[in-house]
Amino acid sequence: MLVYILKRVLATIPVMLIVAIFVFLLLRLTPGDPAAILAGDAATPAQLERIRDRLGLNDPLLTQFFTWIGQLVRGDLGVSLLSNTSVAGMLGDRLGPTINIALMTITISVLLAVPMGVIAAWRHRTWVDFLVMSFSVLGFSVPVFVIGYILIQIFAIELRWVPVQGYKAPSEGIGPFFSRAILPSLTLATIYVALIARMTRASMLEVLGEDYIRTARAKGVRENVVLFRHALRNAAVPILTIIGTGFALLISGVVVTESVFNIPGIGRLTVDAILARDYPVIQAMILLTAGIYVFVNLLVDVSYSFFDPRIRY
Amino acid sequence: MQFKNKDFSDAREVLNVRNLRIGLTGRPNAKPVIDGIDLTIRAGETHCLVGESGSGKSVTSLAAMGLLPKSALEVQGGSITLDDFEITSASHSQMRQLRARRIAMIFQEPMTALNPVLRVGEQIMEVLNMHSDLSPSEAKKRTLDMMDQVHLPDVNRIFSAFPHQLSGGQRQRIMIAMALILDPDLLIADEPTTALDVTTQLQILKLIAEMQERHGTAVLFITHDMGVVAEIADTVTVMQQGQIVERAPIAELLTNPQKEYTRTLLTAVPNLTPRPARAAASQSEVVRVAGLDMTYGGGGFFRRSEGVRAAQDVSFTIQPGRTLGIVGESGSGKSTVARAIMRLIDPTAGSVNVAGTEIAQLSRRQLRDHRKHLQIVFQDPYRSLNPRWTVARSLCEGPINFGVPRAEAMRHAAELMELVDLPRDALDRYPHQFSGGQRQRIAIARAVAMKPDLLVADEAVSALDVSVQAQVLDLLDDIQERFGVAMLFITHDLRVAAQICDEVLVMQRGEVVEYGPAGEVLANPRHDYTRNLIEAAPGRHWDFANYRVLDSATMTTGATA
Amino acid sequence: AQDGETTITAVMHSGLRVLDPVITTAHITRNHGYMIYDVLTAVDENFEPQPQMASWEVSEDGLTYTFTLRDGLVFHDGAPVTGEDVVASLKRWGKRDGGGQLIFDVTESLEASDEKTVVWTLTEPFGPLLSVISKQSAVPPFIMPKRVAETSADETITEYIGSGPFVFNQDEYEPGVNVTYEKFDDYVPRDEEASWMAGGKVVNVDRVVWTTMPDALTAINALSAGEIDYLEQVQIDLLPILDASPEVTVETRDDLGYVTIGRPNHLHPPFDNKLVRQAAMAALDQESMLQTMQGDPAYYNVCGAIFGCSTPLGDEADAEIVTGGADPEKAKALLEEAGYDGTPIVLMAPTDVISLINQPVVAAQALREAGFEVDMQSMDWQSVVQRRAQQSPVSEGGWNMFFTNWMVPEISDPLTNVMVSGRGDEAWFGWPDDPEVEELRAKFMKAEGPEAQKEVAVEIQKHVMDNVNYIMMGEYLIPQARRNTIQNMLPSPVPVFWNMTKEAE
Amino acid sequence: MIEQPQSRHSAFQVLTGLLSLPAGARVGIGPMLAALTLVTIVLASILAPLYVPYDPLAMNSAARLKPPSDEFLLGTDPYGRDTFSRVMVGGRVSLLIGVGAALVSVAVGLAIGLVAGFFRMADSIIMRIMDSLMAIPAILLAIALVALNGPSLGSVIIAITVPEVPRVVRLVRSVVLSAREEPYVEAAIALGSSMPKILIQHLMPNTMAPLIVQGTYICASAILIEAILSFLGAGVSTEIPTWGNIMAEGRTYFQIKPGLIFWPGLLLSLCILSINLLGDTARDLLDPRMKKREG
Ligand SMILES: Nc1ncnc2c1ncn2[C@@H]1O[C@H](COP(=O)(O)OP(=O)(O)OP(=O)(O)O)[C@@H](O)[C@H]1O
Ligand SMILES: Nc1ncnc2c1ncn2[C@@H]1O[C@H](COP(=O)(O)OP(=O)(O)OP(=O)(O)O)[C@@H](O)[C@H]1O
Ligand SMILES: [Mg+2]
Ligand SMILES: [Mg+2]
Ligand code: NI
């Protein structure tokens, strides 16, 4: 197991390196000039040139790349070109909201989607199945921001149950955190629920056709036990997989949700940074999200063996 | 050979099936799957249900368990009563109460019938939790006790093992323990030993008999293996296409079958007497294998692992027109040898000489030119044909690869269809439009189309039922006669080996334990392992085809009946 | 925040990322500057320079300016403000600001003669000196401690200490998201009434939190729900939503507002030809562009004055061509005369800055109607910003035209208005090489008194209308919205948080 | 191979599992409705220029944000353009983006996936690169790519395609890897078929069913991603109406003029719903296992 984890961690190094090179090149090829945004609208070309020099943007690409990698290896994420604050610090401020919302989203999604999928599979080809699956497809087919607006309109404006926007850390109180995080989480959950419910259903359908389910029924086991004890654990691996790979989708959703609900998370930070060409921030953020993605999927892989004893590393 | 001959007419009727009709759900006018069958099983009786594949054996048993797949099949008439309780109209919860307690079932595949993610002990104990109010410690004690009764070793360890950590035989014992722990009145066993090798099969059959003895359980035993039937049945019911053809006590059925279908079924069972060896077409050798070694895996980046030595120092030769059979239990390395000879895997060591060329070390590209000398027929007729290709396209693939013009290849394909006794229009159809036996014949035709010197048949008939199996064996025989090809025939079924092989090679754990003329090896085994194999073959003293005991003259082994 | 403290939560038009108000011309950073820094002198609502940190005296010959700091000025770290600090700050500013550069071009010396006195000596008279250093945009000369002001003018400062009415809370600063200011208790306001950037900056609240909301609708909803107190800019189309909230007041804080302009690239065909530029000007229509941008006529103003219609120097001479509606016929005639060969005009269209999305789209249609071939290229604002700095021909990554907006005070005179500079490659993007306008600007610098200055300004106006250095597309206003609990907000182009009070709700 | 159940849970299954919809091929009515809806929308979009009452680009600043009326069926947008005309014409571009992204990513992914599944040497390198591409959040990659090329139709399609390609590659590769083990492939080797022939004639057809499913999924998500890109200001120019940018432009007016989001949103949802449903049906029809069951 440990050997496996070690192996996987080692295997992420080339992946992260490719991500790093890719992101770096992509950014430097992208038009846009951080010096220009720093200096504002009225700056003259000569002033821009001087600022570019200062920021090291006129160095050869290779030099810039190795400077950056060198810093990274030393654990230094650099300094934002715009705000002159340390990227690590910004990251620290911004990671919390995103992670908390993501965790809440995953929790909500799993709690909703797994039973939905199980029931749909159990009542395969009945109206229950159709209803559940239509709902999931619907979650797939409406843009995230529209869902966000609709939820705000209903729960924050009409019913006034929760605030329209904003974020409070759980350390400032569970109530305030919850009331602000619930709508964004629900918004994000719509895609995720769709994803997980469909996977659960498909996986359950397959498992429910297996011999050991028939064995369980032949033993006179109650239906809910059949579904949740016998079938679900066997269906877990693909569900976990989709939770892992769906994480990428979650990040895409986060970018939009954070805008709609005004949450100071890394999604918005990254988009802002991309639009402002704040290279150190973008690079760090994309490496970070890629790292999180890889980590989440490593977790998922390792957790397989928890659900399925046949999988041993 | 002694058959069971106890009289059950006074015993209690446990299961009563009357005029049962089962059809496709929602389609009452379609041809029913089960068409008005009657069945009575009495306490202590072992009732065998036999018949070709698809005749409705499993459906009948599932109906008795109330486990028909509702969306596909439904009871359309008749009744099933278990001690006067009507099952066809029982509610879900009534059925649930009944299962395990009154009526239990063992399924065919011990691999898949157990839940892979739950410990086997828990799976047995679950029955107790559901149907009794034993305390957890009592339940566990009872479970361990039951596991002991089915002769599982080291019950405490096995209790907390997962299914994949057990052997097939052990898994099946777990299934039996699970089925019998509540002492049900009726045990249904649907081909419980088909997936096991003969030695394990024998143990399981004995175990079921023992348990039945102990608890007086009625057993409905489903199988297509007449050997097993001869061994264990009190009464036999023969089914065909959803109907009952014949029912009789075992001795009566085997000695004096009444119906044509029963007779066909019995005649098709190959017997264990080796056929006389044929003369070789020539003294030259088509295949010479020497010192073949195959180790799977090994190496590894972090830990140097041992690898599986699946074949060690295997040597043999085959002459044209002759058949070498490789027998041995599952996992003994039979397929490995076949695949190494075919160069579908690269042997670790040794030489393989086919038609005068040493192929063990050829590169992939060089190998391609030699492919036409050797062909293979696989076990699974479903998967060995590309489901998306027409039969014609599959048949022409090989010849076209070797430069035969398409038109000519097509013409030849049509001839081949005749050879394997399929209609010509079969060429334009797809594999799924054929039965298993027909598919296997297509696969054989495809191999023969290459006019190989060596034909490897890896369990080529194991997936087929006896009557179809007999046809395919005949076909192979015919082809061999006609083209004089050498054949390497791999099987775990000694009856089949006895019928088709000139020479037999017995493998155990990758090693050759015995190699010689079929008559010698099967009639007069020298190695213990071979002897065990033969002794474990059920019904081996009965000559099914001739409805009589096997001529003891040919049975020179010291086994007692 | 502790009990009883008043905090104002304000949603600003953009996130604060750059904290150095000298290095950038970004409005949000300037606004930030006014929170934590103070200035020597400042204009009042009549564009009149008034003493703020210092009073001044000008010598008879107009060559020596003596500034005297008032009492009680301290930085947030407790150190008193001295002449040295002022000199360092002015010098750093002079390197960045266009107007400042002009003054330093004619500066003989700038020295602190004692703790409280600064003497600025010129080589020749510079009429608008006071209005330049009092200007509230784009880069006002904020006074910082000497050690901070000694940072190179091309590098951002790293210490944010001023002597202004608010203290920057470094700990709670999240770039682009939140900035928190606390009342500076030791700030001594002037006695006069506050007026624009001048007068007494009396702070009546304890904290001001600026936040950003990327989504306009969310911001409005948050204001209606009372989650925020103040919204600096409201999209006109969304005003009806606020109508439903009686607790919210919508108003215009800044009656000067903004202008939107089109800038042709003078280096490359076809806009290197004055006739083609004139054709473009004739083709465009202020009314329809402004209406598309703003919707409600109450919030825009057709205006042909390149220095703004309500500023002292603003004049609409010869502006008929831009204010009189689109004239595609005239444009076609001009194109004919110029021999326009149908070369497509690359029009850069930003997609991510709401206030700049509409102009290129409307312009493209109008130009096409007048016979131009238009290649409208969408890109994010950053790409516009980089590409507009490319002097290369269109085929090699150059451009022909883009649109941008200015605050009226930023374009209100020939020195601050960078678009009238005609210094070729050194001019602002678009690079008109226009000696004539340069002469006029020199004349403006020497002009004594408002009348003389205005006279030159009108000449420049006429010249620009003829030469089409840029195309004035009119003025517009952006309303703000506040909860009714927020009172006494100063009218001003810069949103200021002194004077303001907040009642308990 | 009980010991290695991962193979059962390949990317292939994950992806096809995703797209399973209830109404099976047998039921028929769902897919029929879906096909009808889709055909209607596609035809209506393609033919839009023939029947829409206004030029979708014609601005009229005097007629901004008008409510639905006889003159403007669905009202007008902030530029005074006719919403109905824009929505109908916008469908063309949205569908083009969807279909374009699906075709390109499937084609590219298929090629790379076949190579990866076939050449063991190339496999590990290709898969590392694909892993990296998958790890970069698609939306950020798309924004960056759009910033790089400018938000033209082509670059939006590319931006949507790049993150999808690795998924297709994984899918194809896993199908190839598992199909390689099929006895009929071994039989083909035994019959002397060359590797490229086996790859193209035996293995590639196996990828078609999952690819069609995956293709419909990409098509649907491309239309959505385009909308999100527009929302973030990185979508195609407003001169090219798409459902995505109509909705994104209309989002500020969500409370005053919900129609700007509702109508394109409705068509978009209907489309995606139908595409998903059809993809699922296609899989059922193309899956030989399904045929087997019938036969
Ligand atoms: N779920 C189902 N849906 C439709 N038809 C079915 C189903 N299960 C079985 N059948 C049909 O019922 C018939 C009897 O099948 P059954 O499984 O009982 O055969 P069997 O005698 O057990 O064969 P085998 O020896 O191969 O196990 C077959 O024709 C089969 O096609
Ligand atoms: N690809 C492989 N990698 C590793 N081990 C393998 C592989 N194929 C087979 N083995 C192992 O090699 C041994 C011999 O397997 P082989 O398939 O030759 O047995 P067999 O005699 O054909 O059995 P069966 O009757 O079940 O077909 C077994 O222990 C098996 O687990
Ligand atoms: Mg059966
Ligand atoms: Mg084998
Ligand atoms: Ni397996």
Side-chain angles (χ1 to χ4, degrees), chain B residues 479-491:
Chain B
I479 283 170
Q480 194 168 33
E481 211 131 280
R482 246 198 251 195
F483 300 105
V485 292
M487 193 147 72
L488 180 63
F489 194 92
I490 292 173
T491 182

PDB file of all heavy atoms in Angstrom, chain B residues 479-491:
ATOM      1  N   ILE B 479     -12.631 -33.698 -40.085  1.00  0.00           N
ATOM      2  CA  ILE B 479     -11.644 -32.806 -40.707  1.00  0.00           C
ATOM      3  C   ILE B 479     -10.251 -33.398 -40.630  1.00  0.00           C
ATOM      4  O   ILE B 479      -9.475 -33.343 -41.576  1.00  0.00           O
ATOM      5  CB  ILE B 479     -11.696 -31.431 -40.012  1.00  0.00           C
ATOM      6  CG1 ILE B 479     -12.927 -30.676 -40.513  1.00  0.00           C
ATOM      7  CG2 ILE B 479     -10.441 -30.626 -40.264  1.00  0.00           C
ATOM      8  CD1 ILE B 479     -13.211 -29.429 -39.748  1.00  0.00           C
ATOM      9  N   GLN B 480      -9.983 -33.944 -39.484  1.00  0.00           N
ATOM     10  CA  GLN B 480      -8.652 -34.518 -39.324  1.00  0.00           C
ATOM     11  C   GLN B 480      -8.424 -35.647 -40.334  1.00  0.00           C
ATOM     12  O   GLN B 480      -7.378 -35.734 -40.947  1.00  0.00           O
ATOM     13  CB  GLN B 480      -8.519 -35.070 -37.911  1.00  0.00           C
ATOM     14  CG  GLN B 480      -7.093 -35.360 -37.556  1.00  0.00           C
ATOM     15  CD  GLN B 480      -6.946 -35.625 -36.075  1.00  0.00           C
ATOM     16  OE1 GLN B 480      -7.849 -36.170 -35.451  1.00  0.00           O
ATOM     17  NE2 GLN B 480      -5.834 -35.222 -35.520  1.00  0.00           N
ATOM     18  N   GLU B 481      -9.472 -36.446 -40.484  1.00  0.00           N
ATOM     19  CA  GLU B 481      -9.377 -37.532 -41.430  1.00  0.00           C
ATOM     20  C   GLU B 481      -9.128 -36.989 -42.836  1.00  0.00           C
ATOM     21  O   GLU B 481      -8.285 -37.447 -43.578  1.00  0.00           O
ATOM     22  CB  GLU B 481     -10.682 -38.308 -41.445  1.00  0.00           C
ATOM     23  CG  GLU B 481     -10.520 -39.765 -41.742  1.00  0.00           C
ATOM     24  CD  GLU B 481     -11.282 -40.566 -40.699  1.00  0.00           C
ATOM     25  OE1 GLU B 481     -10.747 -40.745 -39.589  1.00  0.00           O
ATOM     26  OE2 GLU B 481     -12.418 -40.928 -40.997  1.00  0.00           O
ATOM     27  N   ARG B 482      -9.896 -35.939 -43.164  1.00  0.00           N
ATOM     28  CA  ARG B 482      -9.833 -35.435 -44.527  1.00  0.00           C
ATOM     29  C   ARG B 482      -8.532 -34.742 -44.870  1.00  0.00           C
ATOM     30  O   ARG B 482      -7.981 -34.905 -45.932  1.00  0.00           O
ATOM     31  CB  ARG B 482     -10.960 -34.437 -44.727  1.00  0.00           C
ATOM     32  CG  ARG B 482     -11.970 -34.974 -45.737  1.00  0.00           C
ATOM     33  CD  ARG B 482     -12.773 -33.869 -46.234  1.00  0.00           C
ATOM     34  NE  ARG B 482     -14.105 -34.021 -45.678  1.00  0.00           N
ATOM     35  CZ  ARG B 482     -15.133 -33.350 -46.158  1.00  0.00           C
ATOM     36  NH1 ARG B 482     -14.956 -32.486 -47.135  1.00  0.00           N
ATOM     37  NH2 ARG B 482     -16.316 -33.509 -45.654  1.00  0.00           N
ATOM     38  N   PHE B 483      -8.078 -33.920 -43.921  1.00  0.00           N
ATOM     39  CA  PHE B 483      -6.902 -33.101 -44.260  1.00  0.00           C
ATOM     40  C   PHE B 483      -5.628 -33.606 -43.613  1.00  0.00           C
ATOM     41  O   PHE B 483      -4.565 -33.067 -43.846  1.00  0.00           O
ATOM     42  CB  PHE B 483      -7.138 -31.652 -43.847  1.00  0.00           C
ATOM     43  CG  PHE B 483      -8.327 -31.041 -44.522  1.00  0.00           C
ATOM     44  CD1 PHE B 483      -9.515 -30.839 -43.840  1.00  0.00           C
ATOM     45  CD2 PHE B 483      -8.259 -30.669 -45.865  1.00  0.00           C
ATOM     46  CE1 PHE B 483     -10.605 -30.275 -44.463  1.00  0.00           C
ATOM     47  CE2 PHE B 483      -9.362 -30.104 -46.491  1.00  0.00           C
ATOM     48  CZ  PHE B 483     -10.533 -29.911 -45.800  1.00  0.00           C
ATOM     49  N   GLY B 484      -5.786 -34.569 -42.762  1.00  0.00           N
ATOM     50  CA  GLY B 484      -4.597 -35.092 -42.126  1.00  0.00           C
ATOM     51  C   GLY B 484      -3.861 -34.113 -41.248  1.00  0.00           C
ATOM     52  O   GLY B 484      -2.644 -34.188 -41.096  1.00  0.00           O
ATOM     53  N   VAL B 485      -4.578 -33.168 -40.664  1.00  0.00           N
ATOM     54  CA  VAL B 485      -3.885 -32.207 -39.790  1.00  0.00           C
ATOM     55  C   VAL B 485      -3.567 -32.869 -38.462  1.00  0.00           C
ATOM     56  O   VAL B 485      -4.251 -33.794 -38.015  1.00  0.00           O
ATOM     57  CB  VAL B 485      -4.735 -30.951 -39.496  1.00  0.00           C
ATOM     58  CG1 VAL B 485      -4.924 -30.128 -40.735  1.00  0.00           C
ATOM     59  CG2 VAL B 485      -6.052 -31.318 -38.867  1.00  0.00           C
ATOM     60  N   ALA B 486      -2.524 -32.335 -37.866  1.00  0.00           N
ATOM     61  CA  ALA B 486      -2.221 -32.750 -36.503  1.00  0.00           C
ATOM     62  C   ALA B 486      -3.050 -31.878 -35.572  1.00  0.00           C
ATOM     63  O   ALA B 486      -3.326 -30.730 -35.892  1.00  0.00           O
ATOM     64  CB  ALA B 486      -0.743 -32.562 -36.212  1.00  0.00           C
ATOM     65  N   MET B 487      -3.447 -32.448 -34.417  1.00  0.00           N
ATOM     66  CA  MET B 487      -4.292 -31.663 -33.548  1.00  0.00           C
ATOM     67  C   MET B 487      -3.770 -31.712 -32.119  1.00  0.00           C
ATOM     68  O   MET B 487      -3.349 -32.759 -31.629  1.00  0.00           O
ATOM     69  CB  MET B 487      -5.722 -32.173 -33.619  1.00  0.00           C
ATOM     70  CG  MET B 487      -6.715 -31.250 -33.000  1.00  0.00           C
ATOM     71  SD  MET B 487      -8.281 -31.314 -33.852  1.00  0.00           S
ATOM     72  CE  MET B 487      -8.862 -32.886 -33.331  1.00  0.00           C
ATOM     73  N   LEU B 488      -3.797 -30.530 -31.502  1.00  0.00           N
ATOM     74  CA  LEU B 488      -3.470 -30.453 -30.077  1.00  0.00           C
ATOM     75  C   LEU B 488      -4.785 -30.128 -29.393  1.00  0.00           C
ATOM     76  O   LEU B 488      -5.356 -29.062 -29.602  1.00  0.00           O
ATOM     77  CB  LEU B 488      -2.444 -29.344 -29.832  1.00  0.00           C
ATOM     78  CG  LEU B 488      -2.017 -29.171 -28.378  1.00  0.00           C
ATOM     79  CD1 LEU B 488      -1.338 -30.425 -27.889  1.00  0.00           C
ATOM     80  CD2 LEU B 488      -1.071 -27.984 -28.266  1.00  0.00           C
ATOM     81  N   PHE B 489      -5.285 -31.060 -28.610  1.00  0.00           N
ATOM     82  CA  PHE B 489      -6.627 -30.897 -28.072  1.00  0.00           C
ATOM     83  C   PHE B 489      -6.565 -30.729 -26.561  1.00  0.00           C
ATOM     84  O   PHE B 489      -6.103 -31.616 -25.844  1.00  0.00           O
ATOM     85  CB  PHE B 489      -7.462 -32.126 -28.443  1.00  0.00           C
ATOM     86  CG  PHE B 489      -8.928 -31.915 -28.238  1.00  0.00           C
ATOM     87  CD1 PHE B 489      -9.728 -31.455 -29.278  1.00  0.00           C
ATOM     88  CD2 PHE B 489      -9.504 -32.145 -26.996  1.00  0.00           C
ATOM     89  CE1 PHE B 489     -11.071 -31.246 -29.084  1.00  0.00           C
ATOM     90  CE2 PHE B 489     -10.852 -31.919 -26.797  1.00  0.00           C
ATOM     91  CZ  PHE B 489     -11.638 -31.473 -27.838  1.00  0.00           C
ATOM     92  N   ILE B 490      -7.013 -29.579 -26.127  1.00  0.00           N
ATOM     93  CA  ILE B 490      -6.906 -29.292 -24.700  1.00  0.00           C
ATOM     94  C   ILE B 490      -8.266 -29.411 -24.052  1.00  0.00           C
ATOM     95  O   ILE B 490      -9.250 -28.867 -24.549  1.00  0.00           O
ATOM     96  CB  ILE B 490      -6.340 -27.877 -24.503  1.00  0.00           C
ATOM     97  CG1 ILE B 490      -4.895 -27.876 -24.986  1.00  0.00           C
ATOM     98  CG2 ILE B 490      -6.446 -27.447 -23.054  1.00  0.00           C
ATOM     99  CD1 ILE B 490      -4.287 -26.532 -25.011  1.00  0.00           C
ATOM    100  N   THR B 491      -8.333 -30.158 -22.981  1.00  0.00           N
ATOM    101  CA  THR B 491      -9.632 -30.314 -22.322  1.00  0.00           C
ATOM    102  C   THR B 491      -9.400 -30.668 -20.864  1.00  0.00           C
ATOM    103  O   THR B 491      -8.318 -31.120 -20.478  1.00  0.00           O
ATOM    104  CB  THR B 491     -10.455 -31.411 -23.010  1.00  0.00           C
ATOM    105  OG1 THR B 491     -11.721 -31.498 -22.376  1.00  0.00           O
ATOM    106  CG2 THR B 491      -9.760 -32.771 -22.939  1.00  0.00           C
TER     107      THR B 491
END
